[in-house]
Each structure stands twice: as structure tokens, then as C-alpha cells.
Amino acid sequence: MAAAGPLGRLRRLCHRYQEYVRQHPAATAQLEGTVRGLSYLLPGRFSDSHELSELVYSASNLLVLLNDWILRKELQRTLPVSLPQRKLLTWLSVLECVEVFAEMGAAKVWGEMGRWTIILLIQLAKAILRLLLLLWYKAGIQTSPPIMPLDREQQQLQSEDKEGSSAGKEQTYVGRRSSRVVRSLESTPALQSRHWGSPQQREGKQNRRTEEMNQAPTPLGLQETIAESVYITRPLFHLLSLGIWGQRSWKPWLLSGILDITSLSLLSDMKDLNKRERLELRRRTILLLYYLLRSPFYDRYSEGRILFLLRLLADYVPGVGLVTRPMMNYLPAWQKIYFYNWG
């Protein structure tokens, strides 16, 4: 009985939290933003502040994942994939949420050997999950994040519309002379949720956005499957080359860059991609700029120029120093985290 009491209270607490998330999606989004904002304020405040900051940031991402699951369950709007595939996507999302903190925590507790072991295990797990999604479930081009977050403002408006319709309120009024459609005063939403347009216009935009983000993946041919497999396994080849040639060698940097460019080149011939896939290929193309910030190129060429530019902006452009000086201080710490650079 003593054990059942705390367990029962925990269940009731979980149930109350789920009810709160369902009824207040916009407030839940503000909570997530507050937790994430706290993670930006912690670095540099005290010893171990970077690790604590990353823990809070990881917790905020996991909170988003949990709240989206609650809302999807309430709206009966699950991901348009099978249950095993949803589980793989969820595990992949969890790994991406905690990978940086896991690396920093392992380095703090077990040193460099433990850090690289955790990096290898996480990258291996991510590669296996992505290859299963690609080859077994034909999930197409892998996007990041694996599960797109819900639009909380949209969920808030939908819940308000549902409440209005259930209460028997007319959402619109049609003018007798102008035939113009105007929202009725009784169905006017909260100030932060208002928009300029009729409910029909808003509903049409929401439906188009939902359809675009939930479109089925584009089938991949042999060339595209090879290209996506190269992209998925690129981190493993990079880690292997680091183990062979060391971190100061140019060979891991060159090998990784060649694999990324090869994958993008093979995928660039695809037609009729959906919106998520086009955005993902654009994201991968932009991320090629990260090679300017990756060692050894950063150590030998980029570091001095980037720091000089940031210092110049901080000294001669009013107000910019509030952003550039913290960036200058944070760059060395950012450089040491593998998942920031290569994840």
C-alpha cells in the first residue's frame, strides 16, 4: 500500500499534466521556450555551467517531443507511418535531443576515452535506425528533425474553434448588403491568437500546411538510395578515419566533405520532391559551410579571420558587441564538442 500511494499520485500528476497540455497548447509552447531560454543564460555563470546548460536544453527538446505526443494523441493525428516506424523515429529523435549532453557528460565523468566511446555508440545507433528507415520501411530522404514539431498556435486555434462549435456559436456573420464574411464577436479568439482573415481562409492555409508536411516520401531509385546511404554512414566513416589518421590530419576532413558532396550531387537529379525533402536538401547544402568551422581547416585558416571579423564588428558597430563578444568567448568551447561540429 505504501508503494501504491506514491505511484497513484504520480499517475494523477501525469494525467493532470496531459490535460493541461491538451487544453493550453500555446501556454505549453511558452513553457518550452522559457526552459530553452534558460539554457542560453547559464553558460559562463559558474563551473560546470556548460554541462548544466546543455542538460536544460536537452530537457526542453525532450519536453517538446513529449508534449507533441500528447497533442497528437488528443487530436488523433498520429504520424502517417506504421507503429514500428513511429517508434524508430521517436528513438532517433531522443538520441538527437540528448547527444550533445551525453558527449559532455561522458567527457566529464570518463575522460576522452569515454567521450569518444559515447560518440561512436550514438552515431552507430543513429546510423542503424536511419538505415532501417531507409531500406526496410522505404522512408525516403531522412529529414532533421525526424519528427516535425506541431504548430502550437494552430492547435490553440483549433481547440478554440472546437469549443465555439460545441457551444453552438456561429463563427462568422455574413453581411446582408455586402455579403462580406466577418468573424462573430462571440467566437473572437484571445488577442495573441487573432489573425486577419476569415476562419475559412485560416482553415484552408492550415490544411495546406498539414498536407505539405505529411506528404508521403518520394520513392528512391537505386542511385538515390546509395546517395542517402552515403549520407547516413558518413559520420561512421569520419570517425573511422579519425581513429586511423588522427584529428590533426586533413584526410578525415576531406573524406567527410567528399561523401557529403557526392551524396548531394546524386540526390540533386531527383524531381517531384515534397516540401520537407526540398527543405532537407537545402539544409544539407547550407551545412556544407560548417566545413569552414571544422578542424583542421578552422585551426589553420578560419579561426583568425572569424575572430578578427567578430572583434571588428564588436568595436565599430554599436550594439553588435552584445552578440559578437559572447560568440567569441563561446567559439573555443563550441569547437571542442563533436556533435556541434560533426553531428
Side-chain angles (χ1 to χ4, degrees):
M1 293 296 292
L7 185 60
R9 286 195 294 270
L10 181 61
R11 287 175 178 171
R12 287 194 296 272
L13 183 62
C14 292
H15 180 72
R16 289 177 183 174
Y17 179 75
Q18 292 183 30
E19 285 298 320
Y20 179 82
V21 172
R22 295 188 188 105
Q23 295 175 9
H24 306 91
T28 305
Q30 291 179 357
L31 173 63
E32 296 162 357
T34 301
V35 176
R36 183 174 287 112
L38 179 62
S39 70
Y40 298 139
L41 299 175
L42 291 174
R45 303 285 179 178
F46 48 87
S47 61
D48 300 334
S49 60
H50 290 292
E51 290 80 2
L52 182 59
S53 170
E54 193 56 45
L55 174 62
V56 174
Y57 186 79
S58 299
S60 71
N61 290 332
L62 292 174
L63 188 64
V64 171
L65 197 63
L66 171 63
N67 293 338
D68 280 355
W69 174 79
I70 294 172
L71 289 171
R72 284 194 175 96
K73 187 178 179 182
E74 168 68 12
L75 298 169
Q76 297 182 347
R77 188 181 296 173
T78 57
L79 298 173
V81 294
S82 63
L83 180 60
Q85 190 172 345
R86 286 203 301 270
K87 291 182 178 179
L88 292 179
L89 288 170
T90 301
W91 279 110
L92 188 58
S93 300
V94 170
L95 284 175
E96 291 193 353
C97 288
V98 303
E99 59 187 10
V100 176
F101 175 71
E103 177 188 348
M104 296 174 73
K108 192 75 175 178
V109 177
W110 298 305
E112 280 298 299
M113 183 60 69
R115 170 174 171 259
W116 285 107
T117 301
I118 290 296
I119 291 171
L120 178 60
L121 290 176
I122 290 177
Q123 292 289 39
L124 185 61
K126 287 170 59 178
I128 292 173
L129 292 174
R130 289 188 181 277
L131 286 174
L132 281 173
L133 289 168
L134 174 67
L135 302 176
W136 185 265
Y137 293 100
K138 309 299 181 184
I141 294 175
Q142 307 288 301
T143 58
S144 181
I147 300 177
M148 286 297 295
L150 286 174
D151 186 345
R152 299 301 169 75
E153 183 178 353
Q154 177 182 346
Q155 307 310 319
Q156 179 72 22
L157 294 173
Q158 286 181 352
S159 64
E160 290 172 354
D161 290 345
K162 183 186 288 186
E163 291 174 3
S165 60
S166 64
K169 300 176 183 176
E170 292 291 336
Q171 292 194 10
T172 58
Y173 170 78
V174 181
R176 293 180 180 179
R177 295 182 179 180
S178 64
S179 299
R180 185 172 183 177
V181 180
V182 182
R183 179 184 291 279
S184 64
L185 292 176
E186 292 181 343
S187 62
T188 301
L191 181 61
Q192 67 271 16
S193 301
R194 293 180 190 175
H195 62 94
W196 300 105
S198 66
Q200 290 81 2
Q201 291 174 332
R202 184 192 65 198
E203 185 177 355
K205 291 180 180 179
Q206 291 173 353
N207 290 337
R208 285 194 299 271
R209 187 186 307 166
T210 302
E211 290 174 2
E212 286 175 352
M213 302 312 293
N214 291 333
Q215 285 179 342
T218 305
L220 302 183
L222 178 60
Q223 173 180 312
E224 292 80 15
T225 302
I226 293 174
E228 190 64 14
S229 301
V230 168
Y231 174 78
I232 291 170
T233 55
R234 188 270 304 166
L236 298 180
F237 284 112
H238 178 251
L239 286 173
L240 179 62
S241 61
L242 282 177
I244 296 174
W245 293 301
Q247 299 183 49
R248 296 183 177 276
S249 173
W250 282 91
K251 294 178 182 178
W253 187 88
L254 289 171
L255 175 63
S256 179
I258 290 171
L259 292 177
D260 271 338
I261 293 172
T262 301
S263 174
L264 281 172
S265 299
L266 294 175
L267 290 172
S268 63
D269 297 332
M270 289 190 67
K271 307 296 181 183
D272 301 323
L273 294 173
N274 62 44
K275 184 176 181 179
R276 281 197 68 184
E277 293 167 341
R278 291 196 301 271
L279 290 175
E280 174 62 21
L281 292 184
R282 191 180 308 164
R283 184 188 73 88
R284 294 182 188 182
T285 303
I286 294 173
L287 286 182
L288 291 177
L289 295 174
Y290 266 48
Y291 281 93
L292 300 178
L293 301 175
R294 292 168 174 170
S295 297
F297 188 92
Y298 175 80
D299 299 331
R300 302 189 184 182
Y301 299 103
S302 302
E303 182 178 13
R305 292 173 174 83
I306 291 174
L307 291 178
F308 173 77
L309 177 61
L310 293 176
R311 192 177 297 109
L312 192 68
L313 292 173
D315 292 340
Y316 294 99
V317 181
V320 177
L322 296 174
V323 177
T324 55
R325 286 193 177 91
M327 287 180 62
M328 292 167 59
N329 295 330
Y330 193 68
L331 263 177
W334 186 89
Q335 259 283 314
K336 296 177 182 177
I337 305 300
Y338 177 87
F339 282 113
Y340 282 158
N341 261 319
W342 298 93

